[in-house]
Structures are given as C-alpha cells and as structure tokens.
C-alpha cells in the first residue's frame, strides 16, 4: 500500500519537522509556501491577462464582476476545495487516488489525458514568448513600423500621424502599388484594402509563417509546411527549462515558483504605473469598467463568467490533486484554497487596468475606437499589446518586461500540467521512481515526446493545430469530468466519508454551504454551462478560415476520447474485481499516507488491523478477510506494498 509506517503511535503534529518528509516514498513540499505559491502560479496564468479583461469589457464592464464572483463562489470554489482536500488526504495522484472508489479510476486518466494535451500546446505559447523576448533585445522592436522586408502595402502604422501622398490614406504605409487604397470597413467591403498593423504582420508572417511574404494565407487543407527553425528552437528551449525545473520534482519546482509566481505582479505594477501616465489611458480604463447592468438579464454573461472562473482556477485537470498530494497531512488546505481563489480573481481584475491603460493609449494614437484595438487570447499578447508597447518611449525595455511576464505566467501553469502527468505515471508504476536515474530518464522521455508532438505547431500551417488544441482539448470533456468527479466523491465514495476525512485531517468539518454545493448546486451549474455551451456550438475556425471536416472531427475525437477513459476503465475495474459491488468499495489500503494517522479513526484503525492480520489463517487455511490485493506483508516494514 502507499502509506508509510510509523514506529510511534503518535501522529506527527502540525509545524513539527518542517524539513522532514512525512511521505518518504513520494516526498513532500519543503515548506508551506511552496504549495501555496505553486497553486497561485498554476491558477494565475495567461487567461488572467489575455482573456478576463476582454470578457469583462465585452460583457458589461464592471457589471461582469457580479456574475463572475457569484460563479466563483458556487461553481469553481467548491470543486477547487474538494480536489485539494481529496488529494491532500490520500497523498496520491489523480488516478491512484481513486482507491477511494476504483470504479471511477478512469476519471483520473481522463484528467491526465487532458493535462497532457494542454501541455503540448501550452509550451508552444511559451516558445512564442521566448521568440518575442529575444527579438526585443534591439534598439527598436521589429514590429514598430512598416519598413521591413516582410511588410507589404497592406501594412499601415496608424501611430504615425501622417497621410500617405501616393495613396491618400492616413498613417505610414509600406511602399508598393495598391490599386484600391481605401481601407475596408463595415460599410465598404469591396474595392478596398484590409490593412494590417506592423505587429499583426510580424506575428503572422515572421513568427507563425501563417501568411507568406507574398501575402498568401495558409488554409487548413494546404500542406502544413516544414517546421520553422526559429520557433522550433524556442520550443526546444522551453521544454529544456521545464525539464530542468521538474528534474527533482516538487523540491525543485517548489523553489522556482518563488520567482515565477511573484515576478508577474512586479511587471503588472510597473506596466500599470507606466500605462496610467499615457495619453488616452483613462479612456481605455473607463471602457474596461463602464458597467452595463442590462446585460445581467442575459444568459450569455452568466455562462461567460462561469466558464472563465472554471478555467481560471484550473479545476478538473487533476493538477490540484497532484500538487496537494505533496502536502503534509495537517496542512490547512482550506485556508490555502481561499487565499488562492482570492488572489486569482484579484489578479484578473488588476491585470485589466494594466492592459486597458495601454490599449487606451493605442486607441488614442491611432484615432480608432478602443473596441477596434482590443483583441482576446494570443491576439492580445502578441499583436495588440506589443503594438501599444512599440509606440512608447524606450519600447524594447517595456517589451522585454512584458514577455518575461508572459513566460513566467505560462511556466507556472506548465509545471503543474507536466507534473500531473509525471506523478500519475510514477504512482501507477512505482518502479519509475525507485532512484534518481530512473526518474530522470523517464521525465526526459516524457518531455521529449511532448516536444516532438508540438513540432507540427511550429510549421506555417501549425496555427490550425494550435487552435484545435487551444479551443477543444479541454472543453465539453472537462465539464463531464468535473461532474463525474463531484458526484463520484459525494455519492459513491460518500459525502459522510469525505467529511469525516476532512475532519480527521483539518480538525473541523466543512459547513452546510460546502455540503450543499458538493451534493447538487455545483454539479447542476456545471451541467448548465455544458448544455448552454453545446447549444451555442459553432464549427471551429481560425481567423474566419473554417476547419476542414477532418479538422473538426479531430476536435471531437480529443473531447470524446478523454471522456471514454471513464466508462472503459470502469468496466475493467468491475471485471478485475469480480463485480460492481467490489469496484464501488474503497480498497483496503485507502487512507492517509502515514500509518500513525490511521490510529485516530475507528474506520481506519479497523482497516489497519485487518491489513496486519495474515491473509490466510495458519490453522484452517481460510482467508481472514476478503479483498483483491494481498496485504500479508507486515506493517513494521519501511514501505508496505500492495
């Protein structure tokens, strides 16, 4: 079994032996702040910077905060608390922890498969940020104007207040014959030119290769093209960074997050101070916060708020279970949950001020409405915001700071996704962690495979594969996994058992509010989000270019494939254990990680006595207790194996 034996009948007390590991086989965080900062780094990611501010202005400005905070309390926070408490009690990864109810072991594999898919494309974003960071170390950023070899007559720099004499179009244009110089608009869609900003052309033509230098745009049906060496090398560097930080497990990553989880706040403060001093910053901030309370009567704003906070806290990926599994048994995870949730939401709101102050400045410089300058997702991080930074004095400095912030935000989340995969495999196959050499080889193989799987996204047509993973590898399937997880713990493992476990661990039972959410309110809300999203489903596309039939099929295959782990593994467990009843019953070795803690509970003390009883009566030859596994090994060994 997974617990460690203790020679003392007394359980370790909170605060004692901070440097020692309770779980000697798996290890623990070195200190309490390692876990807290890792959770903050995981939850506070790129979505807080490039998605929340956009959703806020799009869904009623300040009014959006009302459904956002409500959904935080009733949809995301209860699941966040459940996952952290469950992982800390069992000290196991998201698959092995279903010793509590073996029938649902596939839920853990579904989580891990989603995390693995996210890991593949998430590091591509970090690779993009690394490329932009290196490009920023110049006297001027390369996307500052239209005077570059990759620009054509579609490029227009509106931050330059001039009128081109040849074309009679405001702004600085790239030289070249243009038969239709008038800019396209909602009223004019023919015999016109769809102009692009310098940063937009840099992103599409230089970084992605999605648009060739002659203006030809890749379609999904076109050949993907060869990998671009500059992005591929940056992706390799990104994976080397992740591997180096995870090489020694949480002992290393728990220290790295002291920088990666705190540095983004320093940059956000600097960017905000610089942003509010710029002309037009006030207009951008007012645009961000101006409330429209009439939208509260629409279902879209509530759905958008629920989806955002659900993804922002990172629930149902299994990462929270993995990180909390390295906690010591007495850690006050309830307090940690509230701190992380508060910091995560506060960061989203604060980041909006830093982002929209610069967006307002850009709108002022170009003379365009703020709404036309604003973008969401990668378009904000790699097009709109860099365009605003390029117009500032000492642009390379601000650009370097911004992209270091993007890298640190991404690396924290990537740590959690990859560690989730590694921990699961090492829990399921303990021989992988028998010594440091085996761990190092295994981790290098995982990182290498994920690097190779990410190379197609470094090709000119790779943006379609990126969009496929970004939009669909964790979508409807994540909702299904979350519902199964909550109902499984509440009804199959049993809410009474779960509450008793928390009381045994923390010294108090969760109140009626948490119980009501776990038993029905939160699963019902998640089901509403899933159904509403399904009703609003639209065929996938990128930049108005629709996916091919096989591309859309791949999107659904990713979603359905991960969910299929749940019934398939459930059937295997029923067959393996000889029936549904046995598959629903917790395994004999399910419980706290340290044997001494078992003595505090009648339930676990009885299980411990059964495990310490020889499996076969020496006189009669009959088994003394039922069970799938053989627990005949005495408990006074250092590590008891199943």
């Amino acid at each position: 079994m997974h617990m460690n034996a203790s020679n003392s009948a007394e359980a370790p007390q909170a605060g004692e032996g901070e440097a020692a590991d309770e779980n000697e086989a798996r290890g623990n965080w070195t200190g309490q702040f390692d876990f807290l900062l890792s959770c903050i780094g995981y939850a506070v990611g790129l979505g807080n910077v490039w998605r929340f501010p956009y959703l806020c202005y799009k869904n009623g400005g300040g009014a959006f905060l009302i459904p956002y905070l409500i959904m935080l309390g009733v949809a995301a926070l209860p699941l966040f608390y459940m996952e952290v408490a469950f992982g800390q009690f069992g000290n196991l990864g998201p698959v092995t922890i279903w010793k509590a109810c073996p029938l649902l072991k596939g839920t853990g594999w579904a989580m891990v498969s989603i995390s693995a898919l996210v890991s593949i494309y998430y590091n591509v974003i970090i690779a993009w940020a690394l490329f932009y960071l290196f490009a920023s170390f110049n006297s001027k950023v390369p996307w500052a104007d239209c005077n570059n070899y990759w620009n054509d007559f579609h490029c227009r720099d509106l931050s330059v207040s001039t009128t081109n004499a040849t074309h009679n179009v405001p702004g600085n244009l790239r030289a070249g014959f243009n038969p239709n110089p008038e800019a396209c608009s909602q009223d004019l869609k023919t015999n016109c030119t769809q102009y692009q900003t310098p940063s937009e052309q840099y992103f599409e033509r230089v970084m992605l290769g999605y648009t060739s230098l002659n203006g030809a745009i890749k379609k999904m049906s076109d050949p993907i093209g060869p990998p671009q060496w500059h992005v591929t090398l940056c992706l390799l560097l990104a994976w080397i960074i992740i591997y180096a930080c995870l090489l020694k497990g949480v002992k290393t990553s728990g220290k790295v997050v002291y920088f990666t989880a705190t540095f983004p706040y320093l940059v956000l403060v600097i960017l905000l101070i610089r942003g509010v001093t710029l002309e037009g910053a006030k207009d951008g901030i007012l645009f961000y916060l101006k409330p429209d309370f009439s939208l509260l009567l629409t279902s879209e704003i509530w759905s958008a708020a629920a989806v955002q906070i659900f993804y922002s806290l990172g629930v149902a990926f299994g990462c929270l279970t993995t990180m909390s599994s390295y906690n010591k048994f007495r850690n006050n995870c309830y307090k940690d949950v509230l701190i992380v949730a508060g910091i995560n939401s506060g960061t989203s709101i604060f980041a909006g001020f830093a982002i929209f102050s610069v967006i307002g400045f850009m709108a002022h410089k170009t003379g365009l409405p703020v709404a036309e300058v604003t973008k969401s997702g990668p378009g904000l991080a790699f097009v709109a915001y860099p365009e605003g930074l390029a117009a500032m004095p000492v642009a390379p400095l601000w650009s370097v700071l911004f992209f270091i912030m993007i890298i640190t935000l991404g690396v924290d989340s990537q740590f959690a996704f990859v560690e989730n995969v590694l921990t699961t495999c090492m829990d399921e196959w303990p021989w992988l962690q028998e010594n440091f050499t085996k761990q190092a080889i295994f981790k290098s193989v995982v990182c290498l495979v994920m690097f190779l799987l990410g190379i197609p996204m470094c090709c000119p047509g790779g943006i379609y594969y990126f969009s496929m993973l970004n939009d669909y590898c964790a979508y409807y399937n994540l909702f299904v996994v979350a519902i199964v997880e909550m109902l499984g713990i509440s009804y199959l493992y049993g809410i009474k058992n779960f509450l008793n476990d928390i009381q045994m661990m923390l010294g108090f039972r969760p109140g009626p509010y948490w119980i009501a959410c776990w038993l029905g309110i939160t699963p019902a809300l998640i089901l509403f989000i899933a159904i509403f999203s399904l009703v609003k489903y639209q065929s996938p596309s990128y930049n108005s270019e629709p996916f091919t039939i096989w591309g859309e099929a791949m999107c659904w295959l990713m979603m359905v494939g991960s969910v299929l782990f749940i019934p398939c593994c459930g059937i295997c467990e029923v067959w393996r254990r000889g029936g549904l009843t046995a598959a629903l019953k917790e395994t004999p070795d399910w419980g706290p990680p340290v044997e001494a803690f078992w003595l505090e509970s009648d339930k676990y003390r009885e299980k411990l006595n059964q495990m310490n009883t020889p499996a076969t009566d020496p006189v009669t030859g009959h088994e003394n207790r039922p069970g799938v596994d053989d627990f005949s090994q005495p408990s006074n060994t250092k590590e008891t194996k199943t």
Side-chain angles (χ1 to χ4, degrees):
M1 55 185 260
H2 74 279
M3 71 176 182
N4 291 312
S6 173
N7 293 327
S8 171
E10 296 183 3
Q13 298 299 310
E16 293 183 2
E18 285 294 314
D21 287 340
E22 285 180 350
N23 192 331
E24 296 179 6
R26 297 176 83 250
N28 297 105
W29 298 104
T30 304
Q32 179 184 357
F33 283 106
D34 293 16
F35 169 70
L36 186 61
L37 287 176
S38 294
C39 277
I40 292 173
Y42 167 64
V44 178
L46 297 173
N48 298 73
V49 173
W50 73 22
R51 181 166 170 79
F52 176 85
Y54 174 82
L55 285 177
C56 194
Y57 102 80
K58 187 179 178 182
N59 292 280
F64 180 72
L65 298 179
I66 296 174
Y68 176 79
L69 294 176
I70 291 175
M71 288 298 177
L72 167 65
V74 296
L77 195 56
L79 183 54
F80 190 89
Y81 183 20
M82 174 176 273
E83 286 192 6
V84 170
F86 196 44
Q88 179 172 310
F89 181 83
N91 253 205
L92 293 168
V95 172
T96 315
I97 202 167
W98 287 104
K99 290 180 177 183
C101 181
L103 182 69
L104 297 181
K105 190 173 184 178
T107 307
W109 282 118
M111 292 176 173
V112 174
S113 66
I114 294 171
S115 290
L117 290 172
V118 172
S119 300
I120 294 169
Y121 86 83
Y122 211 80
N123 234 20
V124 174
I125 300 174
I126 299 174
W128 293 351
L130 285 169
F131 176 72
Y132 269 75
L133 174 65
F134 297 145
S136 299
F137 287 100
N138 281 292
S139 57
K140 73 171 185 176
V141 291
W143 55 87
D145 54 46
C146 294
N147 301 318
N148 304 285
Y149 72 87
W150 58 81
N151 300 126
D152 63 7
F153 63 81
H154 292 89
C155 182
R156 180 170 62 160
D157 180 11
L158 281 173
S159 64
V160 180
S161 300
T162 61
T163 298
N164 185 276
T166 304
H167 301 99
N168 194 30
V169 174
N172 181 31
L173 277 70
R174 174 70 170 170
F177 176 71
N178 185 354
N180 300 298
E182 194 68 28
C184 295
S185 64
Q186 291 184 345
D187 300 325
L188 181 63
K189 297 184 179 181
T190 59
N191 298 323
C192 60
T193 297
Q194 188 67 53
Y195 288 108
Q196 295 178 300
T197 62
S199 62
E200 194 171 3
Q201 289 207 335
Y202 185 80
F203 179 66
E204 291 187 356
R205 297 177 178 224
V206 178
M207 215 275 295
L208 293 181
Y210 164 71
T211 304
S212 65
L213 297 183
N214 62 10
I217 297 176
K218 277 277 184 184
K219 296 179 183 281
M220 197 173 195
S221 57
D222 295 337
I224 189 173
Q228 299 194 102
W229 67 267
H230 54 278
V231 183
T232 305
L233 289 178
C234 288
L235 180 62
L236 177 61
L237 176 59
W239 275 112
I240 291 174
I241 293 172
I242 297 299
Y243 174 73
C245 293
L246 294 180
L247 183 58
K248 294 186 178 180
V250 296
K251 300 296 185 185
T252 305
S253 63
K255 298 308 177 188
V256 175
V257 294
Y258 277 81
F259 170 73
T260 57
T262 56
F263 183 77
Y265 291 97
L266 174 62
V267 177
L268 280 175
V269 170
I270 294 173
L271 290 176
L272 176 61
I273 293 173
R274 181 67 184 99
V276 295
T277 62
L278 299 170
E279 291 183 281
K282 179 180 177 182
D283 295 332
I285 293 174
L286 290 177
F287 184 82
Y288 164 55
L289 288 179
K290 184 179 179 181
D292 183 358
F293 293 104
S294 64
L295 291 178
L296 292 175
L297 301 177
T298 65
S299 58
E300 284 83 359
I301 187 175
W302 293 90
S303 176
V307 170
Q308 171 60 20
I309 191 60
F310 191 83
Y311 282 115
S312 182
L313 281 179
V315 292
F317 287 94
C319 300
L320 295 171
T321 303
T322 292
M323 289 189 290
S324 63
S325 73
Y326 292 103
N327 280 340
K328 293 186 177 181
F329 190 71
R330 298 298 192 197
N331 177 63
N332 190 345
C333 61
Y334 177 70
K335 180 182 68 175
D336 292 340
V337 164
L338 297 180
I339 291 174
V340 172
I343 291 177
N344 175 68
S345 298
T347 302
S348 296
I349 297 169
F350 179 74
F353 288 95
I355 296 299
F356 271 87
S357 60
V358 176
I359 295 296
F361 163 70
M362 193 59 199
H364 173 78
K365 288 282 289 183
T366 60
L368 295 173
V370 176
E372 292 188 21
V373 179
T374 307
K375 294 181 182 290
S376 177
L380 175 63
F382 297 102
V383 178
Y385 206 79
E387 186 77 17
L389 295 175
M392 291 185 188
V394 202
L397 171 63
W398 307 114
S399 183
V400 166
L401 287 174
F402 176 73
F403 285 110
I404 291 178
M405 181 188 74
I406 293 294
I407 292 167
T408 52
L409 284 172
V411 162
D412 282 337
S413 300
Q414 184 71 347
F415 283 164
F417 289 126
V418 179
E419 185 63 55
N420 190 28
V421 177
L422 299 175
T423 294
T424 296
C425 295
M426 290 189 292
D427 280 348
E428 282 294 289
W429 300 287
W431 61 269
L432 290 172
Q433 56 181 334
E434 287 178 350
N435 54 60
F436 178 74
T437 302
K438 287 186 177 180
Q439 288 188 41
I441 294 173
F442 167 65
K443 292 176 180 180
S444 66
V445 170
V446 171
C447 291
L448 177 61
V449 170
M450 289 187 172
F451 163 68
L452 295 175
L453 291 174
I455 289 180
M457 285 176 276
C458 301
C459 301
I463 188 63
Y464 291 105
Y465 298 93
F466 173 85
S467 298
M468 186 187 302
L469 286 165
N470 184 40
D471 296 339
Y472 291 96
C473 77
Y475 194 13
Y476 302 119
N477 49 348
L478 203 64
F479 300 143
V480 174
V481 169
I483 293 172
V484 172
E485 179 187 24
M486 293 203 77
L487 296 181
I489 294 175
S490 298
Y491 291 98
L492 299 184
Y493 177 59
I495 190 67
K496 183 178 179 181
N497 285 330
F498 185 55
L499 296 176
N500 289 339
D501 291 344
I502 294 178
Q503 183 172 23
M504 178 183 173
M505 183 171 60
L506 302 183
F508 59 87
R509 292 168 71 89
Y513 169 76
W514 298 107
I515 298 172
C517 286
W518 290 334
L519 288 175
I521 295 176
T522 302
L525 272 175
I526 296 173
L527 181 61
F528 159 75
I529 299 168
I531 294 175
F532 184 84
S533 300
L534 193 59
V535 169
K536 295 289 184 179
Y537 172 79
Q538 294 180 343
S539 296
S541 63
Y542 174 75
N543 206 14
S544 300
E545 179 66 31
F547 280 20
T548 58
I549 295 176
W550 69 264
E552 186 169 3
M554 285 294 295
C555 294
W556 281 99
L557 182 62
M558 284 191 297
M559 292 187 287
V560 174
S562 56
V563 171
L564 284 178
F565 277 108
I566 300 175
C568 291
C569 291
I571 293 171
C572 290
E573 289 297 320
V574 170
W575 175 80
R576 175 174 175 261
R577 296 175 185 276
L580 180 61
T581 302
L584 286 168
K585 186 179 180 181
E586 63 186 71
T587 62
D589 63 332
W590 162 252
V594 180
E595 182 179 297
F597 292 123
W598 289 52
L599 303 177
E600 300 178 5
S601 164
D602 292 338
K603 168 187 171 182
Y604 292 106
R605 188 186 302 114
E606 181 181 351
K607 291 176 65 175
L608 185 62
N609 291 335
Q610 291 177 349
M611 285 188 290
N612 290 337
T613 302
T616 304
D617 189 291
V619 177
T620 65
H622 296 154
E623 290 187 357
N624 285 329
R625 58 175 177 80
V628 174
D629 300 305
D630 178 13
F631 297 101
S632 59
Q633 186 174 348
S635 65
N636 60 0
T637 55
K638 186 73 173 178
E639 178 73 13
T640 310
K641 303 288 185 183
T642 54

